[in-house]
Amino acid sequence: CFQLQFDEQQKSTALQFGSFCTRSWMFRTTRFVFGDRAIFVRRSAFETLGGYQEWPLLEDVDFAMRLERIGWRAFAFLPLTVTTSARRMLETGPWKQQLLNTCIIIAWYLGISPERLRAWYRYALTPPASAAKNQ
């Protein structure tokens, strides 16, 4: 996968820090690889793994972790950069979004399903209509 930069990272120190983390050896683990880092693989590896899980989120992290398990040559961190949109980070707030992402990952590691976690993700961004009526 590639290192990450945000299209509007000059607007936020938090976004600049997030980009830095993708270049740092401390964060070179498949547990922090999301689809916005442009994961690409040989077709044979993709087929060996059965492709992506049909999950609403975290399918990219799961795929990267499974890739790593099939061998050290199946996954690599490249010294090249890909640019991704900062829209969600800027709308939610970079620190708040990163905290939410971290909580979701931890909950997944603890066994909560991606289907259930999808509700956390959506609720944090836009409260459901029923929650808005109760305020």
Side-chain angles (χ1 to χ4, degrees):
C1 73
F2 294 95
Q3 297 172 37
L4 182 68
Q5 72 179 11
F6 293 95
D7 59 353
E8 299 185 55
Q9 70 184 32
Q10 73 281 2
K11 293 184 178 182
S12 166
T13 304
L15 292 177
Q16 292 170 10
F17 178 71
S19 293
F20 164 78
C21 288
T22 69
R23 293 185 298 276
S24 171
W25 63 268
M26 295 181 296
F27 295 96
R28 288 193 175 226
T29 171
T30 54
R31 287 174 166 70
F32 297 121
V33 172
F34 301 97
D36 56 3
R37 289 185 63 183
I39 300 168
F40 63 96
V41 298
R42 287 189 172 102
R43 182 180 184 145
S44 59
F46 188 80
E47 290 173 349
T48 296
L49 294 175
Y52 286 101
Q53 301 288 347
E54 291 292 328
W55 293 349
L57 69 161
L58 300 171
E59 75 287 351
D60 44 5
V61 179
D62 170 73
F63 185 75
M65 290 172 64
R66 288 186 293 132
L67 256 179
E68 185 180 52
R69 281 188 222 124
I70 65 172
W72 66 271
R73 294 185 61 193
F75 195 90
F77 291 93
L78 301 176
L80 303 169
T81 302
V82 66
T83 302
T84 193
S85 172
R87 178 190 47 81
R88 180 174 308 215
M89 289 283 203
L90 293 173
E91 287 175 0
T92 306
W95 295 111
K96 181 179 177 183
Q97 183 64 51
Q98 201 53 36
L99 177 62
L100 173 63
N101 293 346
T102 301
C103 289
I104 287 172
I105 290 281
I106 290 170
W108 180 56
Y109 290 151
L110 294 174
I112 298 176
S113 74
E115 289 77 15
R116 185 168 173 200
L117 292 171
R118 174 181 47 193
W120 293 13
Y121 196 66
R122 286 187 180 161
Y123 181 76
L125 299 176
T126 306
S130 60
K133 290 178 186 177
N134 293 331
Q135 293 182 351

